[in-house]
Amino acid sequence: MHAENIGALIAQIRKEKGLTQKDLAEKLHISDKTVSKWETGRGAPDISNLEALSETLGISVSELLAGKRLPPEQALEHSNKVLVKAMRRFRKIWLIFLLAGIGLLVISTAVFFGYHYCTTTDGANTEKTEMLVADFAQNGMATQERCGADFTICQMQEIENYRAYLFRNNGEYQICIFRRDRIFSSRWEVLGGTGGIDSGTLGSYHTQTMSDPVLIVVFGGDLPPKATHYCVRTQGEILSVAPIDANQQVLDMYLQPDSFDLGSPPILLDENFCRLEINP
């Protein structure tokens, strides 16, 4: 389809019918400038104009697209050729869009899995794990403070699909919770954690995600030498009485099937299992 040939044919038949460019434009409800562009080959009729233009000029759409008058026996053949060309062009366009869509999907998937892999750790990579914990300490829910010179990961505990890291930062103790990754089952992603608690005190953290059981984490460090055990209570009952290690640190994890609130903060106990009062 050549715009010059189409334009020449439009101009020829228009003049044969004694029409001006303005007359033709008014019949087609377009501007005479558009007709001028067609006739000079600077543009071609839009598909929406073809039927009305062919009726106004008294020629077939096939002749209009061919840019010349066609004998009746050639009109059908030309229509078929135009249709085949249009189908081939459509198929090429469809194929381009299909390949572009597949490429975009591949790139998006690669970016998603790559980012997900880079923001998780296999746990055995100590350097990567420390980096994620430190990043949580600086930018996560725990605090907006920068990691201090005393930033140290003290302990790690694991229970089913959870891991907890006890770390010291700026004179306080905090925890960072990891959950087994839902995509890479051998890796761990940061789930959350707590802000800092003062040295010598115990803190607790509990959360529940979707249908998982309630996770409870008890933690603390630099506990008083007289503290040998601690007690965790739920509403109306004792959940656990557990020993404090030789480093005077605590990091223990519990899973409970139902959602509940802790009855009170963890309580420090002495060797006689009596409540140990801590002077401020």
Side-chain angles (χ1 to χ4, degrees):
M1 184 174 72
H2 299 285
E4 295 85 356
N5 295 339
I6 293 175
L9 180 63
I10 293 173
Q12 176 190 338
I13 298 177
R14 174 182 62 77
K15 293 175 182 177
E16 290 175 359
K17 291 183 174 291
L19 299 173
T20 65
Q21 290 184 344
K22 185 176 182 181
D23 294 334
L24 181 59
E26 289 177 349
K27 290 179 179 293
L28 299 176
H29 305 290
I30 57 177
S31 68
D32 55 349
K33 291 182 178 180
T34 300
V35 175
S36 176
K37 285 184 178 180
W38 292 349
E39 294 185 354
T40 55
R42 291 180 290 123
D46 186 80
I47 190 172
S48 61
N49 301 125
L50 291 179
E51 185 176 359
L53 181 59
S54 65
E55 290 179 358
T56 302
L57 297 178
I59 60 176
S60 67
V61 174
S62 297
E63 290 176 306
L64 186 59
L65 294 177
K68 60 182 179 180
R69 295 184 183 274
L70 297 171
E73 63 273 10
Q74 293 183 4
L76 179 59
E77 179 183 356
H78 186 269
S79 297
N80 291 336
K81 289 181 179 179
V82 171
L83 179 61
V84 170
K85 288 182 179 179
M87 292 177 64
R88 286 176 177 172
R89 180 176 298 178
F90 175 78
R91 185 175 63 179
K92 288 181 180 179
I93 295 174
W94 178 85
L95 183 60
I96 291 172
F97 276 103
L98 177 63
L99 293 176
I102 292 175
L104 182 61
L105 178 62
V106 170
I107 293 173
S108 300
T109 302
V111 170
F112 172 78
F113 281 98
Y115 175 81
H116 204 80
Y117 189 88
C118 292
T119 55
T120 57
T121 176
D122 60 7
N125 188 334
T126 304
E127 183 177 353
K128 179 64 176 293
T129 301
E130 289 184 352
M131 183 192 74
L132 291 176
V133 174
D135 182 66
F136 170 79
Q138 293 184 97
N139 306 307
M141 293 181 288
T143 179
Q144 294 298 317
E145 296 180 2
R146 303 187 67 83
C147 288
D150 63 339
F151 174 80
T152 307
I153 294 180
C154 307
Q155 291 190 38
M156 185 276 286
Q157 292 290 338
E158 180 178 333
I159 182 171
E160 294 188 10
N161 293 320
Y162 297 95
R163 279 186 176 182
Y165 289 86
L166 173 70
F167 63 96
R168 182 182 175 88
N169 183 39
N170 292 317
E172 298 179 330
Y173 283 89
Q174 300 169 230
I175 55 169
C176 181
I177 308 297
F178 284 71
R179 178 177 58 191
R180 191 177 297 279
D181 191 69
R182 304 296 174 91
I183 297 178
F184 302 105
S185 59
S186 62
R187 300 181 69 81
W188 300 82
E189 63 175 337
V190 175
L191 176 63
T194 68
I197 61 171
D198 294 333
S199 296
T201 60
L202 279 181
S204 61
Y205 169 94
H206 64 289
T207 186
Q208 184 177 24
T209 58
M210 299 179 66
S211 59
D212 294 339
V214 178
L215 171 69
I216 303 172
V217 184
V218 181
F219 67 101
D222 296 332
L223 300 173
K226 292 183 179 180
T228 60
H229 293 76
Y230 71 88
C231 174
V232 180
R233 296 182 300 174
T234 64
Q235 292 181 342
E237 63 181 41
I238 294 177
L239 173 64
S240 175
V241 175
I244 296 173
D245 67 20
N247 295 322
Q248 296 306 111
Q249 294 177 348
V250 169
L251 179 60
D252 289 322
M253 305 175 72
Y254 306 91
L255 288 174
Q256 294 293 307
D258 300 315
S259 179
F260 65 93
D261 292 324
L262 294 177
S264 65
I267 301 171
L268 290 173
L269 304 174
D270 62 18
E271 59 183 1
N272 298 314
F273 294 94
C274 296
R275 180 168 185 161
L276 185 64
E277 299 294 340
I278 303 176
N279 296 322

